[in-house]
Amino acid sequence: MTSNEIKALTGQYIMNTYGRFPVAIDHGQGATLYDPEGNAYIDFTSGIGVTDLGYGYQPWVDAITAQAQKLGHVSNLFYTEPPALLAETLCKRTGESCVFFANGGGEANEGMIKLARKYSFDKYGKGRATIITLNNSFHGRTITTLMATGQEVFHNYFFPFTEGFRYADANDLTSLEAAAGDDVCAVMMELVQGEGGVLPLDVEYVQAVKKICEEKDWLLLADEVQTGVGRTGTLFAFQQYDILPDVVSFAKGIAGGLPMSGIMANEKCRNVLGPGTHATTFGANPVCAAAGLVVQETLSEAFLEEVKAKGEYLRQGIEALDLPCFGKTRGMGLMIGIEVKDGYNKSEIANKLIENGLLVLTAGPGMRLLPPLVITKEEMDKGLAIMEKTLR
Ligand SMILES: *Cc1c(COP(=O)(O)O)cnc(C)c1O
């Protein structure tokens, strides 16, 4: 089909819930995508932080193929090898103790919220179920995670929402203290706010929150759906904050492009979600887990150092262009935000770049770049050249 045929068919038969860019994608190689007409696009989006190994990565294709030939699904009523191996790797590399696998970020966060509330219920009974989250956060699109999201625009249309969330300002301990109370059981945060605009939390703040959580027996819940799996230059962002959260959610990049998510919990939380308390039919799918194992094998410590170096290179490259529409860059690893100056429109900038062969994202008030972690220097240079040509 041609791009126009795909767009027309989509318009007719798929619910119009997405504001799409006017591009159809057919295939990809490395960090370059192609439309059905063969036009190339440098990808600074990774399918919103998902395709960390880029496109056509042979070990990933081979592992999925081999596992699909053996067994595609059997449910969690039985044991399978790939998710057990993936859970082992995640625990050994992070210091967490156990994993629950699910399918998407919002669903993982639901599990994390359930775990926090049940931890408190088991120990203290009812009435201690409130979770403090941060203003400007994003935690998902389910009725509960919309309410966990600390942005008013998401608290609309779908009433009634789940109760039991209170919001504090990021990097502000006074605001956290103001939100505290006898009804609180946990604090939930993204270590780098992604959808909110690529805003990293301060190390001192996060460590102080961890300490408060320990004192009050609140659980510290890290939403690493976007920051996890190498995106920030360590396997998980919390490793750069020198803390071990009680529970960590992950999703986007975990299986390199197949739908998979999960939560990891420390020893204290191991038995909170016992048999019958939580489940999901597709969770721990062996094909997704086999893909996840390739991601883990690829993301060696040396590879993660490269991610940091590439992030630095790209940020310096953007700042050196000194484009009229862009201000400072910020972020960690290959999770990069670019300030858009007053008088310029982030969506217009994104559309112009895409027209010229560079896929980018927006977030909060500015631009957001999440290139595949395997992106090459040549591809980054091509992307920078397109920025220069388009936005000068
Ligand atoms: C993307 C995202 C989610 C939601 O993940 P889905 O897979 O879309 O449900 C939750 N939290 C954060 C931090 C995210 O970036």
Side-chain angles (χ1 to χ4, degrees):
M1 290 173 82
T2 65
S3 290
N4 283 337
E5 285 166 348
I6 295 168
K7 284 186 227 171
L9 201 64
T10 302
Q12 184 157 6
Y13 290 108
I14 294 187
M15 269 190 215
N16 187 27
T17 60
Y18 297 101
R20 291 179 210 274
F21 292 112
V23 176
I25 298 297
D26 183 67
H27 63 282
Q29 193 61 47
T32 307
L33 288 163
Y34 298 88
D35 66 18
E37 288 73 31
N39 298 305
Y41 300 84
I42 299 293
D43 180 26
F44 281 3
T45 73
S46 303
I48 322 184
V50 170
T51 51
D52 33 26
L53 306 183
Y55 308 95
Y57 188 74
Q58 203 57 50
W60 184 82
V61 173
D62 291 344
I64 291 170
T65 308
Q67 184 57 43
Q69 278 166 346
K70 273 173 74 178
L71 181 73
H73 171 86
V74 67
S75 92
N76 290 293
L77 299 175
F78 305 96
Y79 294 90
T80 56
E81 182 179 304
L85 288 173
L86 181 57
E88 177 194 31
T89 304
L90 289 170
C91 292
K92 287 195 166 155
R93 294 186 73 175
T94 60
E96 297 288 1
S97 294
C98 51
V99 176
F100 176 89
F101 286 114
N103 308 287
E107 189 194 3
N109 286 338
E110 288 267 349
M112 190 154 73
I113 291 162
K114 282 176 74 179
L115 191 156
R117 287 185 169 179
K118 186 161 181 299
Y119 172 87
S120 188
F121 181 91
D122 289 349
K123 228 170 146 175
Y124 303 98
K126 277 189 178 167
R128 192 177 178 277
T130 299
I131 296 174
I132 300 174
T133 69
L134 299 184
N135 285 318
N136 206 35
S137 58
F138 181 79
H139 296 298
R141 294 284 191 163
T142 66
I143 294 281
T144 297
T145 56
L146 280 172
M147 211 52 193
T149 294
Q151 299 185 52
E152 273 300 319
V153 293
F154 288 98
H155 308 162
N156 211 348
Y157 316 124
F158 309 113
F159 307 100
F161 288 97
T162 307
E163 294 171 21
F165 293 94
R166 210 176 290 145
Y167 313 100
D169 290 335
N171 292 327
D172 182 344
L173 286 173
T174 314
S175 173
L176 186 81
E177 273 154 25
D182 293 341
D183 59 337
V184 172
C185 67
V187 179
M188 175 166 168
M189 52 176 54
E190 304 160 85
L191 295 169
V192 183
Q193 295 189 323
E195 305 297 316
V198 191
L199 306 161
L201 297 186
D202 299 337
V203 173
E204 305 73 39
Y205 170 76
V206 172
Q207 291 183 348
V209 173
K210 174 70 181 155
K211 206 160 150 255
I212 294 169
C213 286
E214 279 163 10
E215 282 162 16
K216 298 186 184 289
D217 199 16
W218 297 346
L219 295 188
L220 180 60
L221 315 177
D223 177 349
E224 292 235 27
V225 166
Q226 191 160 152
T227 51
V229 201
R231 178 54 55 191
T232 66
T234 46
L235 192 58
F236 285 86
F238 74 74
Q239 295 166 313
Q240 292 178 65
Y241 285 83
D242 210 13
I243 54 155
L244 186 69
D246 295 294
V247 193
V248 180
S249 62
F250 54 84
K252 293 193 163 91
I254 187 72
L258 292 190
M260 185 177 223
S261 73
I263 56 176
M264 324 186 265
N266 64 9
E267 199 53 32
K268 182 167 85 175
C269 298
R270 169 185 288 280
N271 295 315
V272 175
L273 294 176
T277 60
H278 195 48
T280 180
T281 299
F282 285 118
N285 175 275
V287 178
C288 298
L293 283 168
V294 175
V295 172
Q296 290 300 316
E297 279 156 25
T298 309
L299 269 52
S300 63
E301 292 310 311
F303 181 97
L304 293 170
E305 282 304 316
E306 276 290 294
V307 170
K308 280 186 191 156
K310 288 176 193 180
E312 278 305 308
Y313 181 80
L314 197 50
R315 280 178 66 177
Q316 279 168 15
I318 292 163
E319 295 205 351
L321 289 179
D322 197 21
L323 294 167
C325 57
F326 287 164
K328 285 254 170 283
T329 66
R330 59 177 174 269
M332 279 168 73
L334 280 170
M335 183 169 182
I336 297 171
I338 314 171
E339 216 174 85
V340 170
K341 286 195 184 147
D342 285 348
Y344 293 93
N345 178 305
K346 60 178 180 169
S347 302
E348 259 171 49
I349 294 172
N351 273 297
K352 270 194 207 150
L353 288 172
I354 289 170
E355 249 170 64
N356 284 277
L358 175 64
L359 306 187
V360 298
L361 300 162
T362 62
M367 314 304 296
R368 175 176 46 153
L369 310 180
L370 303 171
L373 306 183
V374 296
I375 194 165
T376 60
K377 183 170 174 296
E378 290 68 36
E379 285 167 321
M380 288 192 282
D381 287 342
K382 273 190 196 168
L384 289 168
I386 293 171
M387 271 187 193
E388 159 117 71
K389 183 186 91 176
T390 309
L391 302 175
R392 173 72 62 206

